[in-house]
Amino acid sequence: MQVTMTVNDVEVTREIEGRLLLVHFLRDVLGLTGTHWGCDTSNCGTCVVWLDGEPVKSCTVLAAMAGGHEVRTVEGLAEGSELDPIQQGFMQCHGLQCGFCTPGMMMTARALLDRNPDPSEAEIREAISGQICRCTGYATIVRSVRWAAVHEAAAAARVPEQTQPSEAGEHADAGQAVGSAS
């Protein structure tokens, strides 16, 4: 069967088997290996991606079910070469050790911050409760999400200076332009 979906803002169409899971479509067909495949039973959360803006465990979604929808993977978090604050937070606060759960954690954390830009530690822990990390004990993950929240709030509070040319400067420039054109 043929399936068409938008993945990280790019429309893709592929011929697939009807039973292919979204996680395998992303990894094996599209080569987006940032989405990890763990338990295949929706217990670990390493495979979390967004489907129409909602975090889903891609090991429980058929690729065919994603047809006509928007999928975002961890590769789609960065804006060009600029990392998402969640990605930066995981680097700054060492929110990963082996890194296996990290892509799913980041996708879940980004969705949390999009809904709640200032979550408490308890809210962060609740949001990631459907995901398993066997290395960190979660403390560094929680710190990473808080780091991202704080830095996003600080960035939003900074308003770029908007300089308005003075009226005299505008007229002087206009006069120069007219004068030089004569």
Side-chain angles (χ1 to χ4, degrees):
M1 73 181 300
Q2 191 175 69
V3 66
T4 300
M5 66 185 77
T6 302
V7 179
N8 298 332
D9 299 323
V10 176
E11 187 174 288
V12 295
T13 301
R14 298 291 190 280
E15 195 67 34
I16 62 165
E17 290 185 34
R19 62 188 173 129
L20 183 68
L21 293 171
L22 182 57
V23 65
H24 298 304
F25 178 77
L26 295 169
R27 291 181 57 80
D28 303 335
V29 176
L30 299 182
L32 296 172
T33 57
T35 301
H36 291 166
W37 174 47
C39 65
D40 221 10
T41 61
S42 80
N43 288 316
C44 71
T46 63
C47 67
V48 170
V49 299
W50 292 357
L51 185 62
D52 293 336
E54 291 296 321
V56 298
K57 293 178 179 177
S58 61
C59 74
T60 61
V61 177
L62 293 172
M65 294 168 61
H69 296 277
E70 291 187 25
V71 176
R72 178 144 329 263
T73 69
V74 71
E75 290 93 344
L77 284 181
E79 297 269 339
S81 63
E82 187 175 330
L83 295 179
D84 185 272
I86 285 291
Q87 293 168 312
Q88 292 173 352
F90 270 73
M91 286 177 26
Q92 292 295 319
C93 299
H94 309 287
L96 59 113
Q97 284 183 17
C98 81
F100 196 72
C101 71
T102 305
M105 288 285 188
M106 283 195 233
M107 295 306 291
T108 299
R110 175 76 267 154
L112 170 65
L113 292 184
D114 287 349
R115 288 183 180 83
N116 178 359
D118 188 26
S120 67
E121 179 179 333
E123 290 168 322
I124 295 168
R125 288 183 179 278
E126 182 179 334
I128 63 172
S129 66
Q131 295 172 267
I132 297 172
C133 176
R134 296 171 195 241
C135 301
T136 66
Y138 301 95
T140 55
I141 293 170
V142 172
R143 275 197 298 273
S144 299
V145 177
R146 284 297 310 145
W147 185 98
V150 167
H151 283 79
E152 280 187 350
R158 284 189 295 258
V159 178
E161 286 187 33
Q162 296 180 2
T163 55
Q164 298 294 327
S166 67
E167 285 187 30
E170 286 176 353
H171 295 301
D173 291 341
Q176 288 174 346
V178 171
S180 62
S182 315

